[in-house]
Amino acid sequence: MLPDYSWLAWTLIVASTYLTGVSKGGFAGGFGTLSVPLMALAIGPMEAAGLLLPLLLAMDAFTVKAWWGHQAGAEVRRLVPGMAIGVVIGTLLIGSLDENGVRLLLGLVSLAFAAYMLARPAAARPISARWAWPAGLGCGFTSFLAHAGAPPLNLYLIPRRLSKEAFIATMAVSFALVNLMKVGPYLWLGEINLTSAWASLLLVPVAWGGVHSGIWLQRRVSEVLFYRLVIVAMAAVGVQLVVKALG
């Protein structure tokens, strides 16, 4: 049985799914962070997260297949322990956290990073690999709460100065792993159920179309413009999260 959502809710859910697919395909990856807040305009944020997770797994399969072999394996290995810890923390604290407080913090971090990169683009020097654990932890935690793990990973990976292909592939593999880590806790917490699973299955073609649109778009965008789009996307995500948190 499908959820009894209004036409507005279904419109936002379909739009969010397609937007996430475009992001997963590698075009302006930060836009995917908008999906849960956009869906949460019509349904509960945790309900939105549970509905989206199976779709994210389907998109991950499409994206990892498309980009496999380009990822920076060493970076992925550095990020995984922190991501696992972040997911565990999110699982243990989900009942006591204020979601708007998390949205506000994540939004401010996103805006600060975007402003820094725009004001001093030359200052984005490579950073030490030791920051992979904190970035992974932030990714795992925020991804568990609202599938919003892109800003912490961007904060770490962009200054690492990977090629465009390596950046997209490393993000794709990292998110596939963190999303797999969330399946057990989401089932345990009841955020994935038969009703949400049917809705997710119905939306798989939308997700598939979004991923392929993202792949098509990013291959026609220069590397310099691509990183500018990521920065602009992070600023847009930050504004959206702050507005949602304070609204």
Side-chain angles (χ1 to χ4, degrees):
M1 177 183 290
L2 291 173
D4 185 21
Y5 294 145
S6 67
W7 67 268
L8 175 60
W10 277 113
T11 300
L12 292 175
I13 289 168
V14 169
S16 298
T17 301
Y18 182 77
L19 186 66
T20 302
V22 171
S23 172
K24 286 284 187 180
F27 186 76
F31 280 120
T33 308
L34 291 169
S35 298
V36 170
L38 185 60
M39 291 168 66
L41 294 174
I43 63 176
M46 298 315 299
E47 184 180 2
L51 176 63
L52 191 58
L53 182 56
L55 290 168
L56 289 173
L57 293 171
M59 295 181 211
D60 289 335
F62 299 144
T63 309
V64 170
K65 181 180 179 181
W67 291 103
W68 185 257
H70 296 283
Q71 71 271 17
E75 298 291 8
V76 175
R77 289 190 292 272
R78 292 184 189 110
L79 290 165
V80 165
M83 291 191 298
I85 294 170
V87 169
V88 170
I89 292 173
T91 303
L92 296 175
L93 299 182
I94 189 65
S96 60
L97 289 174
D98 178 77
E99 291 181 349
N100 283 330
V102 175
R103 287 193 187 102
L104 179 61
L105 178 60
L106 186 60
L108 292 175
V109 169
S110 298
L111 288 172
F113 176 71
Y116 172 77
M117 290 293 291
L118 289 172
R120 299 180 62 193
R125 299 172 182 171
I127 62 175
S128 170
R130 69 174 179 270
W131 290 102
W133 271 61
L137 192 151
C139 172
F141 181 68
T142 55
S143 180
F144 182 87
L145 293 179
H147 305 313
L153 282 195
N154 281 329
L155 282 167
Y156 172 71
L157 287 176
I158 289 179
R160 297 291 287 175
R161 293 186 177 177
L162 303 175
S163 69
K164 183 172 70 174
E165 290 77 12
F167 176 83
I168 296 170
T170 302
M171 292 285 280
V173 174
S174 297
F175 281 125
L177 291 172
V178 78
N179 286 331
L180 284 171
M181 294 175 193
K182 295 184 307 195
V183 173
Y186 269 50
L187 287 169
W188 180 57
L189 294 167
E191 293 179 19
I192 298 177
N193 51 58
L194 287 176
T195 301
S196 68
W198 276 111
S200 300
L201 183 63
L202 181 68
L203 292 165
V204 167
V206 178
W208 183 88
V211 170
H212 283 270
S213 295
I215 293 171
W216 185 89
L217 286 168
Q218 71 79 27
R219 285 176 176 166
R220 288 155 179 81
V221 177
S222 71
E223 189 160 338
V224 173
L225 181 57
F226 173 81
Y227 278 105
R228 288 177 181 172
L229 284 170
V230 172
I231 294 167
V232 171
M234 289 190 70
V237 167
V239 171
Q240 175 71 11
L241 289 171
V242 170
V243 170
K244 183 66 177 176
L246 299 179

